[in-house]
Amino acid sequence: MNALELSTEDFHRLATSIVELCAGYLRTLDERSTFPQTTGEESKRLFDLDLPERGMGDEALAALTDVFAKSRAQNGRFFGYVQGSGEPIAALGDLLGSILNQNITAWRSSPAGVTIERTVVRWLSEAIGCYGFAGTLTSGGSAANLMGLAMARETKTPANEQGLYDRKASVIYASEQVHMAVPKAVAMLGIGRDNLHYVPCDDSYRMIPSLLERAISQDEAQGRQPIAVVASAGTVNTGSIDPLREIATIARSHDLWMHVDGAYGALAAIAAPEKFDGLALADSLSLDPHKWLYQPLDCGCLLYKDSNAAQHTLTYTGNYAKQLTSDPVEGFAFFEESIELSRRFRALKIWLSLRYHGLHAFRAAIRQNLDHAQRLAAAIEGSALLELLAPVDLSAVCFRHLVNQEASEETRNRFNLALLKRIVARGRVYLSNAELKGKFCLRACIVNHLTKDSDIDAVVREVLEVAPDVISKLAI
């Protein structure tokens, strides 16, 4: 046995030890602080260590207790960012996927793995009403948005062979609330962020279709080439859903590709399809099971209506990787529809989780998250010291503490920033932040299958409890 081999007996013993650690963590999760009591200096002392030349053996596992202790606990009071809650059956799927160590490139590389991923993609597309869509799992929404917009560019202004040099400027349209992944993708695709045209939003932070129509017409009149529009199915700040059907009609009338960034919100169509009218009219769509399907990181997805467009954009195969058969199952290759060649077995956790719990359980959890967001919004509106700053369409709730009725906007922004830092440090609830019309917001985003009514009620209670001390320290 060489130095890296491990006997099955030793694996079982070590795995049992780690499973016990995990079970203990889950058993105490609700009691844990949502942010660890630690500092950057302590993190470096504990983990920024010298690389051992000689193996530590079982002693290597001793540090895992510190890893648990110094990590954020995503219990039912974690409302930061847009981060799912890590469903445990799916976590077991991740373990199995790592043991199997399949490279999900093509059927011949992993017959079970590729078939399971194609099945999971079909399940996801059907669950949100996008029947007949194909797709691929990704690391997250950023990769999915990049590939979707690459398909848009190559379909409308082909550049794979000769590049974009000496081409008419291509223009992509998105709302002023678009996620940062989109301008990043536009830059990486060589289109340039100067050619990303931001369309104003209404008071509900939804793209205004008439202004999209006007912007496209103006660019066409100036000799520019509109190629795509990005609609949001759940903006990152407020969870707003753009008017998808109206945007699709405008896109079709100008022969534009329609990509929907649904990384946050699209999976809520499982529970509230009426909110997503027009979603199936997209040419491509990003969604993140590691957000609102509660899967452990990482797991995103790109869906698309036309596999030929994906292959035309993303196929470039070396002789060493060419398929040996034209059979539609055995000859299938994900790397011909993806930027990735090496691909981990992401689908196994979703497949296992959905089979174990059933879609009904996920639908109910999403509905509860939607209801909890309305419960929190009502509690905020019931306090004279708090102000709701945006309509609550999905599960993102933006609000602030007013300090007092005479406080200036600058004072309120400074105070709410300090208030957020204090709330996070206390570790009783975890909120993040947003900025809307120059106003600093406290933001709770509820994509958490563990959240109970009492966890929601803790948010306003914690904000109001912490505020007087922050006011005193800032001498407001």
Side-chain angles (χ1 to χ4, degrees):
M1 181 179 291
N2 69 44
L4 289 176
E5 284 188 87
L6 190 71
S7 71
T8 53
E9 293 78 13
D10 280 342
F11 174 79
H12 186 270
R13 176 176 56 81
L14 294 171
T16 299
S17 175
I18 289 174
V19 167
E20 284 299 318
L21 279 173
C22 293
Y25 175 77
L26 293 175
R27 191 180 305 115
T28 60
L29 182 58
D30 192 54
E31 306 161 14
R32 289 175 176 261
S33 172
T34 55
F35 193 81
Q37 296 296 313
T38 190
T39 63
E41 181 180 354
E42 183 185 40
S43 296
K44 287 181 66 67
R45 178 177 60 79
L46 290 173
F47 307 120
D48 188 9
L49 308 173
D50 292 336
L51 172 64
E53 179 63 30
R54 298 287 182 180
M56 301 169 63
D58 290 8
E59 187 183 343
L61 275 62
L64 292 178
T65 55
D66 286 330
V67 174
F68 277 98
K70 303 306 177 183
S71 296
R72 280 188 326 216
Q74 289 183 225
N75 55 33
R77 297 179 300 284
F78 185 91
F79 306 120
Y81 321 112
V82 191
Q83 187 162 327
S85 37
E87 193 278 309
I89 295 295
L92 294 176
D94 261 344
L95 172 61
L96 289 170
S98 293
I99 291 296
L100 289 169
N101 195 33
Q102 302 291 285
N103 192 355
I104 312 300
T105 58
W107 185 89
R108 66 172 174 160
S109 297
S110 179
V114 166
T115 305
I116 287 173
E117 180 163 334
R118 295 183 80 183
T119 299
V120 164
V121 167
R122 175 175 61 80
W123 285 356
L124 294 176
S125 63
E126 292 174 356
I128 63 172
C130 292
Y131 294 91
F133 280 54
T136 175
L137 298 183
T138 69
S139 60
S142 294
N145 286 328
L146 175 63
M147 288 195 290
L149 291 176
M151 291 168 63
R153 189 207 64 189
E154 196 60 21
T155 300
K156 299 302 180 180
T157 175
N160 275 359
E161 302 305 324
Q162 297 181 348
L164 292 172
Y165 177 73
D166 202 27
R167 295 286 189 90
K168 184 188 298 185
S170 300
V171 187
I172 292 177
Y173 302 85
S175 91
E176 58 193 7
Q177 290 292 314
V178 72
H179 190 276
M180 66 182 184
V182 170
K184 283 178 118 176
V186 168
M188 285 187 280
L189 291 169
I191 294 168
R193 285 192 280 265
D194 286 349
N195 294 310
L196 177 60
H197 194 140
Y198 293 103
V199 179
C201 294
D202 60 20
D203 289 340
S204 295
Y205 300 98
R206 303 162 76 237
M207 184 191 293
I208 301 173
S210 61
L211 297 184
L212 170 65
E213 176 78 63
R214 181 189 303 173
I216 295 170
S217 298
Q218 288 174 346
D219 284 330
E220 288 174 335
Q222 293 171 9
R224 306 173 80 192
Q225 184 177 0
I227 62 170
V229 57
V230 179
S232 294
T235 58
V236 67
N237 283 332
T238 63
S240 301
I241 303 167
D242 287 336
L244 303 175
R245 184 171 294 277
E246 293 177 69
I247 291 170
T249 299
I250 294 169
R252 296 292 177 270
S253 69
H254 290 273
D255 192 29
L256 306 187
W257 184 277
M258 180 177 168
H259 176 73
V260 173
D261 178 8
Y264 164 19
L267 284 163
I270 294 171
E274 68 282 358
K275 291 180 177 288
F276 297 90
D277 178 47
L279 185 65
L281 299 174
D283 294 296
S284 56
L285 162 67
S286 66
L287 51 89
D288 273 357
H290 66 216
K291 291 186 172 71
W292 226 343
L293 210 59
Y294 316 112
Q295 300 294 294
L297 292 159
D298 63 12
C299 191
C301 181
L302 174 68
L303 300 177
Y304 36 81
K305 191 170 290 183
D306 183 4
S307 292
N308 290 328
Q311 293 163 10
H312 178 66
T313 303
L314 298 163
T315 296
Y316 187 83
T317 305
N319 289 331
Y320 55 86
K322 288 190 182 297
Q323 295 307 297
L324 306 179
T325 176
S326 59
D327 182 272
V329 176
E330 297 183 14
F332 179 82
F334 270 115
F335 62 75
E336 293 181 340
E337 299 183 17
S338 171
I339 59 175
E340 294 182 310
L341 179 54
S342 299
R343 306 176 69 251
R344 69 189 301 267
F345 199 174
R346 295 185 179 101
L348 184 57
K349 59 186 167 190
I350 307 176
W351 186 78
L352 191 63
S353 184
L354 285 169
R355 281 167 55 86
Y356 187 92
H357 294 291
L359 186 60
H360 172 80
F362 287 92
R363 183 180 295 112
I366 294 168
R367 282 177 178 159
Q368 185 175 54
N369 289 163
L370 295 170
D371 291 344
H372 276 152
Q374 295 301 321
R375 181 185 183 96
L376 177 56
I380 291 164
E381 291 188 309
S383 171
L385 289 172
L386 303 179
E387 179 184 21
L388 191 67
L389 292 174
V392 179
D393 201 14
L394 289 177
S395 67
V397 183
C398 292
F399 66 105
R400 67 176 177 175
H401 195 290
L402 292 170
V403 186
N404 56 56
Q405 296 303 318
E406 293 76 33
S408 67
E409 290 300 311
E410 189 277 331
T411 296
R412 286 173 174 165
N413 285 349
R414 182 165 58 92
F415 170 77
N416 279 277
L417 171 59
L419 179 61
L420 176 62
K421 290 179 178 179
R422 181 65 183 133
I423 289 169
V424 169
R426 277 164 59 102
R428 298 182 183 179
V429 299
Y430 195 101
L431 305 177
S432 55
N433 57 283
E435 183 177 309
L436 297 173
K437 298 180 179 178
K439 298 175 181 179
F440 184 92
C441 311
L442 307 176
R443 176 180 169 278
C445 187
I446 307 158
V447 285
N448 191 328
H449 73 287
L450 299 174
T451 299
K452 306 180 291 294
D453 287 357
S454 58
D455 297 322
I456 293 296
D457 296 343
V459 174
V460 167
R461 184 171 63 249
E462 178 71 357
V463 170
L464 296 178
E465 183 177 318
V466 173
D469 184 54
V470 177
I471 290 172
S472 175
K473 287 183 177 178
L474 292 180
I476 294 175

